Amino acid sequence: AQKVTQAQTEISVVEKEDVTLDCVYETRDTTYYLFWYKQPPSGELVFLIRRNSFDEQNEISGRYSWNFQKSTSSFNFTITASQVVDSAVYFCALSTTDSWGKLQFGAGTQVVVTP
Amino acid sequence: GAGVSQSPRYKVAKRGQDVALRCDPISGHVSLFWYQQALGQGPEFLTYFQNEAQLDKSGLPSDRFFAERPEGSVSTLKIQRTQQEDSAVYLCASSLIPLENTEAFFGQGTRLTVV
């Protein structure tokens, strides 16, 4: 069975602070994909990143960075120098070989950035 | 349009009424997914199509839920005899090819309220 845990329900920061969102996953598959999506108040899920299980290199994209550690089954996401526009719910998700057609989402973390 | 389009954006149904939710995927996208998102929760998988074939419907909560994609493009999610527990946002997503090689793009969802 697959499971994604986002233990942080809500994180509040002041603009320009860094914020790290935790994601812990469970799967017996050796081949899988991990995703992060952003859901602003408009409701649409916006794709941020996809990472396969064989690529443990950390990735940076502008103010966003991701830390993938298979040893701890974690795929954490950091927003550097947060901005008000970063306020949204962020979801971590997992897709595995026995269910490529479905994403298993975590419960999400609400990020609130105040000026 | 450029993205996944869902209609209606909002739907209020009386308990016991049937509803139909429409999804227009991105043109040319082979895979189409439906998810249900309860308030404050992550999306939960409902069903998956590859072209017109429904490959996975394991997430449909009851036989009141039915989805179709007869020509491999537009999809309709139908809920018969709606119940209050059906109140949620229904998200549609599409991807160019099966999910293991790409990401899914989501629509803004249909918010269903059953009264």
Side-chain angles (χ1 to χ4, degrees):
Chain A
Q2 285 78 243
K3 185 178 179 181
V4 176
T5 302
Q6 294 180 256
Q8 304 148 307
T9 305
E10 181 172 325
I11 301 175
S12 294
V13 296
V14 177
E15 211 170 17
K16 296 184 183 175
E17 288 184 340
D18 298 347
V19 56
T20 295
L21 285 62
D22 298 333
C23 173
V24 175
Y25 62 93
E26 295 176 30
T27 179
R28 292 178 182 166
D29 280 10
T30 56
T31 303
Y32 50 88
Y33 284 91
L34 295 163
F35 301 77
W36 276 95
Y37 281 86
K38 173 182 180 180
Q39 189 173 46
S42 61
E44 183 175 344
L45 281 161
V46 178
F47 168 80
L48 296 179
I49 191 172
R50 181 177 69 108
R51 174 55 54 85
N52 76 55
S53 52
F54 298 108
D55 182 3
E56 285 195 71
Q57 278 196 333
N58 292 331
E59 182 159 337
I60 298 174
S61 176
R63 296 185 296 107
Y64 295 167
S65 61
W66 291 269
N67 181 7
F68 177 28
Q69 293 196 338
K70 285 180 77 170
S71 60
T72 56
S73 297
S74 66
F75 187 42
N76 297 338
F77 171 35
T78 297
I79 304 172
T80 302
S82 59
Q83 300 176 1
V84 173
V85 293
D86 296 326
S87 296
V89 181
Y90 292 84
F91 291 97
C92 180
L94 169 70
S95 180
T96 63
T97 51
D98 70 346
S99 60
W100 284 127
K102 65 176 74 168
L103 288 167
Q104 178 74 42
F105 284 88
T109 297
Q110 172 86 57
V111 172
V112 179
V113 182
T114 53
Chain B
V4 178
S5 177
Q6 293 187 244
S7 61
R9 286 292 315 278
Y10 303 91
K11 176 69 178 177
V12 178
K14 290 185 178 179
R15 192 171 54 171
Q17 188 179 355
D18 296 349
V19 298
L21 313 180
R22 177 187 171 103
C23 173
D24 281 89
I26 294 172
S27 179
H29 277 198
V30 167
S31 299
L32 185 145
F33 315 84
W34 283 99
Y35 288 82
Q36 180 190 58
Q37 187 177 18
L39 189 64
Q41 301 294 318
E44 295 278 346
F45 171 82
L46 293 177
T47 188
Y48 162 53
F49 291 86
Q50 193 165 312
N51 295 306
E52 67 278 4
Q54 190 174 18
L55 299 186
D56 188 341
K57 53 181 181 179
S58 61
L60 295 175
S62 77
D63 59 9
R64 296 185 296 103
F65 287 70
F66 171 76
E68 60 183 4
R69 194 186 185 197
E71 297 178 359
S73 55
V74 171
S75 177
T76 304
L77 176 67
K78 297 179 179 177
I79 309 173
Q80 297 176 323
R81 304 181 304 280
T82 52
Q83 305 293 316
Q84 284 191 319
E85 62 262 28
D86 300 334
S87 295
V89 175
Y90 290 85
L91 294 164
C92 177
S94 70
S95 67
L96 184 59
I97 48 180
L99 196 59
E100 67 265 30
N101 290 318
T102 186
E103 66 270 19
F105 295 88
F106 282 80
Q108 289 186 298
T110 294
R111 181 178 296 278
L112 173 65
T113 303
V114 181
V115 297

